[in-house]
Amino acid sequence: MVKKAGPTNPVIRVLLRNLRKASKTWGAPIWKTVAELIEKPKRQRIHVNISRVNRYTEKDDVVIVPGKVLGAGKIDHPVTVAALSFSKTAREKIMSAGGQCISINQIVKIRPSGSNVKIIG
């Protein structure tokens, strides 16, 4: 019997299925790319600090982090960040700058075509 590959977390498996479905439905390759990044082993998953989000974004940008957002650094402009998870300090800093912390499923519903969404990783 062949062992199942990929994430064992059922929430992430559903997310991957939804991302691939959105990619085919809307013709948006960004969702397929995000699914491939999330599907990697947990030790290879992306961790991004707030300082990097601040460095590579401008006011009112929408970014997606296919991993966890950590709270090191400062952010000085409002940004909408979608990620698998957020640390407590990262969430507080994004909210205090006037931005939003949302899930990846929510960003797919808000911007199904994936236009003007940046991947940071």
Side-chain angles (χ1 to χ4, degrees):
M1 179 142 201
V2 178
K3 186 179 177 185
K4 271 188 181 176
T8 55
N9 183 336
V11 175
I12 291 179
R13 288 173 97 64
V14 169
L15 174 64
L16 292 172
R17 199 173 313 128
N18 289 342
L19 286 169
R20 288 192 180 103
K21 185 176 177 181
S23 177
K24 286 182 184 175
T25 304
W26 296 98
I30 187 171
W31 304 131
K32 185 177 177 184
T33 304
V34 171
E36 289 170 355
L37 291 171
I38 291 172
E39 196 172 29
K40 288 183 175 181
K42 194 171 184 175
R43 66 183 179 276
Q44 294 178 7
R45 227 172 257 157
I46 296 167
H47 301 279
V48 174
N49 282 315
I50 285 294
S51 60
R52 180 178 282 194
V53 173
N54 189 45
R55 193 177 327 134
Y56 294 109
T57 60
E58 296 174 2
K59 184 180 177 189
D60 297 327
D61 272 355
V62 178
V63 296
I64 187 164
V65 177
K68 187 169 187 170
V69 180
L70 303 174
K74 291 191 271 185
I75 188 161
D76 58 5
H77 53 272
V79 178
T80 300
V81 181
L84 276 182
S85 63
F86 297 88
S87 71
K88 184 180 174 186
T89 55
R91 186 178 296 273
E92 289 171 358
K93 288 179 180 180
I94 292 169
M95 301 298 264
S96 67
Q100 291 182 316
C101 301
I102 59 176
S103 70
I104 293 175
N105 275 330
Q106 288 175 315
I107 196 74
V108 172
K109 287 179 185 171
I110 293 169
R111 299 200 178 193
S113 64
S115 62
N116 296 326
V117 177
K118 295 179 183 176
I119 299 174
I120 293 183

